[in-house]
Amino acid sequence: MMRGLDPTEKPPDTLRTVHKVYQQASIDALTKDTHILDLGRVQTNEGDPRLFEVKAYNFCLRFSLNARKELSSRRKLRWMTLGGQYDWTKKRYPEDDQPDFPDDVANLIQGLFPGIRPEAAIVNFYSPGDTLSIHRDVSENCDAGLELAKAKLQSINDSIPQNWRVDSLPSREQQRDVTGDFIRHYLSKEETHITEATATEIINKSSTGQWTAEAVTRAFCHRASLAHQLTNCLHETFFDAAIGDAKTLDGYYAENKKPMGPLHGLPVSLKDQFHVKGVETSMGYVGWIGTFEGKRGTGKEKVFESEMVKELRDLGAILYCKTSVPHTLMTGETVNNIIGYTWNPKNRNLSCGGSSGGEGALIALRGSPVGFGTDIGGSIRIPAAFNGLYGLRPSGGRLPYEGMANSMDGQNSVLSVVGPLADSIATLRLVVKSLLSREPWLHDPLVHDIPWREDREKVPSPLSFAVLRHDGAATPHPPVRRAIETVVQALEKQGHKVIEWNPPDHKRGNDIIQKSWSYDNGADIRSAFALSGEPVAPQIGHTYGADFANVPPEDAVHIAANNVKKREYQKEYMEYWNSTAGATGTGRPVDVVIAPVAPFAAARPNRYNYYGYTTFVNVLDYSACTLPVATVDKDIDTVDSSFEPLSEVDRKVAES
């Protein structure tokens, strides 16, 4: 194909130099009128003869004039063909799964242009003496997918009533913090009073006729609309349906003089994994728009509801919106090709966390008094920590997950669990206790038959705590270390015992969970992306990108071996915990372990690079709750100039 260049050989650095020029030129082309970039005149001093042969050709990146403005340097195409439109797999084009590229061609393209996925571009190779042309066919499936994403975003924004839209919101640079007084000035005094009441206050007043459920619902719908305009935190709104449900509750109260249930009139937001009648569940995937979990014609589209949704309705809760998630759910930031990036409302240059990031941002702005997220590696606790909230990750089988959408469904080594996020422990207790009163084990076979146990609320005194200040891999940033010490000092002041926590190596647990997330080597996730040809966010690409497409999935032998490792790790950790009884002074093992949620107070975009402080909990399947302690203070939380990283991982965490 190219004289003097073995297509299976890793290209020399000189070819990578050409690629760098290509990258910059392609970015420049997006803002200039030219649509043909000629890289044939690229000069280097490397003197490699193979580069000379490459330079003998003309490298041209061609953009269609009528579509050039729609292109983005971050976009990836779905299809790749060799020598025009020839499809050697004989599959229908482009409706079937994309064909695998022959290894030699894939190696050549990845070598020349590492930023292009072999299955994700159209490349025409011409005969020697002609030009080698990288050609972008703008009529491809991926364009239709991204147009679909634009339309979906527009429909989300259009669902906000006109009188709740803000015409001239400040940019992130102009207004980083949009909490507190900033968002309040768009609300009436009554709306502010309602939306900043506790969940218990809302229920008490709605259940006694002091407030109508309709007034409460309208206030939260308004504030949620503002929150979305400020942070991109919503995937679905169903305000009219919610107001209709609220009117029904008001009618019930007027007739019966009693509440419909223990959550009467309480607005509850839901992560976009819950199926709710009347709206879609995209879970951040463009290819899921207009479908039921990527499938058409199932009969479930916009009519099926998850088990917990039904139970919340029966309890008297008002459901009104679904919140943003990262596509795949597998990152501590929230980003997808539909709504873009969901920002932290306290500092809109930072991440709100993930994958229940929309919940974190919405509740932090008081656009919701309580919401439900999910957690397979920290996805409730991370947004709670980043947004100053309480978040509960219960053990598996405590609350109903039945009928919810998910990634990697069927991976049972480490299960995702559902749990609440709110601004108080009292609210977490309220909603969990209410849900358990519905006996969810009768409708979800994975939920344990364990009612709320009042006797467990009576705790001995003093308590014993253990503190994990450093897991041996990633050094927490100064504000995180200060928060840990603040908690330790407060407990000791109250007479509780605090000891050091030196458990089995957390890296082992992290390796086990990472293995479980890649049993199918990303096949489930890539199939969802393939529905539209949408690009993979960089936060996900390093784990589930094209580099892993040709790696075979794990077989039953290796999955079983990982499950054995998990069981052995759980046993070892349990026995270590039991062994602390001799050090606590209470005669009991440690009651609670205190640890960071993340090594940073909140991550910068594309900088969430370490999950070890949350994943060990998932491997062990322990209950965990996030507690807000403090906010960053630049005058106190100064950088330690003498810091020496323990490893490359530690260095990256420090720089994040």
Side-chain angles (χ1 to χ4, degrees):
M1 283 193 245
M2 299 181 69
R3 291 170 293 180
L5 178 62
D6 180 354
T8 62
E9 181 184 357
K10 181 179 178 181
D13 290 339
T14 47
L15 290 185
R16 298 188 183 279
T17 301
V18 173
H19 166 60
K20 290 178 182 178
V21 178
Y22 153 78
Q23 276 188 319
Q24 184 57 53
S26 66
I27 294 172
D28 291 343
L30 304 178
T31 56
K32 296 180 180 179
D33 291 335
T34 181
H35 70 290
I36 297 180
L37 308 177
D38 189 346
L39 305 187
R41 297 185 180 85
V42 173
Q43 299 294 323
T44 70
N45 298 320
E46 310 295 343
D48 190 290
R50 287 174 293 185
L51 179 64
F52 175 80
E53 294 298 326
V54 174
K55 286 170 60 181
Y57 297 107
N58 220 11
F59 277 70
C60 293
L61 178 67
R62 302 180 186 274
F63 293 108
S64 169
L65 280 173
N66 62 3
R68 176 179 54 80
K69 293 181 179 180
E70 298 299 320
L71 299 178
S72 163
S73 61
R74 293 184 296 115
R75 289 175 58 181
K76 307 289 185 184
L77 302 182
R78 178 180 177 189
W79 294 93
M80 191 172 193
T81 58
L82 177 63
Q85 301 299 314
Y86 174 66
D87 179 5
W88 55 89
T89 67
K90 307 300 181 185
K91 293 184 178 181
R92 288 190 306 154
Y93 176 81
E95 295 166 355
D96 287 342
D97 290 341
Q98 65 266 33
D100 291 331
F101 231 37
D103 289 343
D104 57 347
V105 178
N107 290 338
L108 174 64
I109 297 304
Q110 283 189 315
L112 289 174
F113 303 107
I116 291 181
R117 298 181 301 168
E119 80 278 22
I122 290 180
V123 176
N124 295 318
F125 287 89
Y126 296 95
S127 59
D130 201 342
T131 61
L132 173 65
S133 179
I134 309 298
H135 173 64
R136 164 72 156 91
D137 186 337
V138 299
S139 66
E140 285 307 311
N141 193 4
C142 62
D143 291 295
L146 292 175
E147 288 301 318
L148 188 61
K150 289 181 183 178
K152 180 63 178 180
L153 175 60
Q154 189 63 49
S155 73
I156 297 169
N157 295 336
D158 288 347
S159 72
I160 296 174
Q162 188 67 46
N163 59 327
W164 291 348
R165 300 178 197 175
V166 181
D167 294 329
S168 56
L169 285 169
S171 67
R172 291 186 289 113
E173 291 72 22
Q174 294 169 323
Q175 185 70 39
R176 288 190 302 174
D177 185 351
V178 292
T179 61
D181 287 339
F182 180 82
I183 193 170
R184 287 188 194 113
H185 89 267
Y186 294 104
L187 300 163
S188 69
K189 289 183 179 180
E190 180 185 17
E191 288 174 322
T192 299
H193 183 51
I194 289 173
T195 54
E196 296 186 5
T198 67
T200 301
E201 285 181 289
I202 292 169
I203 293 169
N204 287 343
K205 292 191 175 185
S206 298
S207 299
T208 57
Q210 297 177 65
W211 288 347
T212 64
E214 180 182 355
V216 170
T217 300
R218 288 184 183 275
F220 276 101
C221 289
H222 186 189
R223 194 152 181 163
S225 298
L226 295 170
H228 174 67
Q229 293 173 79
L230 293 166
T231 62
N232 305 325
C233 62
L234 299 183
H235 276 186
E236 300 286 344
T237 68
F238 33 106
F239 298 154
D240 289 342
I243 292 168
D245 291 341
K247 290 179 177 179
T248 299
L249 287 181
D250 290 335
Y252 181 89
Y253 177 80
E255 181 177 348
N256 299 282
K257 300 304 178 187
K258 65 178 183 179
M260 185 172 286
L263 301 183
H264 183 97
L266 179 68
V268 175
S269 53
L270 301 170
K271 184 178 185 178
D272 191 25
Q273 287 181 256
F274 289 87
H275 291 295
V276 179
K277 65 182 179 182
V279 294
E280 296 178 332
T281 302
S282 73
M283 214 169 75
Y285 287 125
V286 176
W288 281 24
I289 297 172
T291 73
F292 182 82
E293 299 182 7
K295 302 178 182 66
R296 299 184 183 276
T298 66
K300 294 182 177 180
E301 293 85 346
K302 294 188 177 183
V303 295
F304 178 81
E305 291 203 316
S306 304
E307 184 58 37
M308 187 181 285
V309 170
K310 300 174 188 176
E311 293 176 0
L312 287 168
R313 291 190 191 280
D314 290 342
L315 292 164
I318 299 292
L319 310 178
Y320 63 112
C321 65
K322 295 206 294 177
T323 52
S324 57
V325 302
H327 52 206
T328 75
L329 309 176
M330 301 304 291
T331 179
E333 301 173 49
T334 296
V335 57
N336 62 60
N337 293 310
I338 300 172
I339 53 90
Y341 199 91
T342 303
W343 299 101
N344 189 309
K346 193 68 178 175
N347 183 339
R348 292 193 296 164
N349 292 320
L350 300 176
S351 169
C352 64
S355 62
S356 308
E359 284 297 320
L362 180 66
I363 298 169
L365 283 168
R366 292 298 298 173
S368 171
V370 61
F372 282 90
T374 63
D375 193 313
I376 195 174
S379 292
I380 289 172
R381 292 161 288 155
I382 292 166
F386 284 11
N387 293 282
L389 303 172
Y390 296 83
L392 175 64
R393 185 257 179 221
S395 295
R398 196 65 176 118
L399 294 176
Y401 210 104
E402 175 66 25
M404 292 174 60
N406 204 2
S407 288
M408 302 174 291
D409 196 15
Q411 180 280 112
N412 291 334
S413 294
V414 180
L415 291 175
S416 177
V417 299
V418 60
L421 298 86
D423 66 349
S424 71
I425 289 289
T427 300
L428 301 184
R429 178 185 183 278
L430 171 68
V431 294
V432 172
K433 184 176 180 180
S434 298
L435 282 165
L436 293 178
S437 74
R438 297 295 304 165
E439 300 182 328
W441 47 86
L442 298 178
H443 302 284
D444 185 337
L446 297 185
V447 175
H448 304 304
D449 182 356
I450 307 175
W452 183 268
R453 295 166 290 183
E454 300 283 350
D455 60 304
R456 294 298 182 93
E457 296 189 63
K458 300 174 184 178
V459 297
S461 184
L463 293 169
S464 58
F465 295 82
V467 58
L468 178 73
R469 291 182 168 89
H470 194 304
D471 70 350
T475 304
H477 289 192
V480 178
R481 298 201 299 269
R482 177 168 61 89
I484 294 292
E485 293 309 315
T486 299
V487 172
V488 169
Q489 292 171 16
L491 291 170
E492 290 178 333
K493 187 176 181 180
Q494 294 178 29
H496 301 294
K497 182 71 175 289
V498 182
I499 66 172
E500 296 297 319
W501 190 248
N502 299 299
D505 186 9
H506 279 189
K507 183 180 183 303
R508 282 174 52 204
N510 195 49
D511 289 345
I512 290 166
I513 195 171
Q514 293 282 350
K515 184 77 167 180
S516 74
W517 292 344
S518 59
Y519 283 158
D520 70 347
N521 283 299
D524 173 72
I525 284 169
R526 282 194 298 275
S527 68
F529 284 121
L531 292 171
S532 66
E534 64 176 307
V536 182
Q539 290 87 343
I540 285 96
H542 70 282
T543 306
Y544 296 107
D547 291 346
F548 302 89
N550 296 319
V551 180
E554 299 290 345
D555 58 24
V557 172
H558 290 94
I559 294 172
N562 199 49
N563 286 334
V564 170
K565 288 181 180 179
K566 184 191 77 168
R567 186 181 69 230
E568 292 173 346
Y569 184 72
Q570 289 174 329
K571 170 65 173 174
E572 185 178 343
Y573 213 100
M574 175 187 289
E575 294 304 337
Y576 170 74
W577 194 308
N578 290 335
S579 73
T580 62
T584 61
T586 65
R588 305 183 310 274
V590 161
D591 295 303
V592 179
V593 176
I594 303 162
V597 173
F600 20 72
R604 288 188 283 173
N606 205 20
R607 295 289 189 93
Y608 203 123
N609 48 30
Y610 184 74
Y611 294 88
Y613 284 107
T614 51
T615 54
F616 80 95
V617 173
N618 299 82
V619 173
L620 298 169
D621 197 19
Y622 289 167
S623 299
C625 188
T626 300
L627 310 177
V629 177
T631 55
V632 175
D633 186 328
K634 65 180 180 181
D635 295 325
I636 300 175
D637 304 313
T638 56
V639 176
D640 182 0
S641 59
S642 64
F643 171 75
E644 292 289 339
L646 300 173
S647 64
E648 181 64 12
V649 168
D650 201 24
R651 183 190 65 77
K652 289 181 178 179
V653 167
E655 293 176 353
S656 64

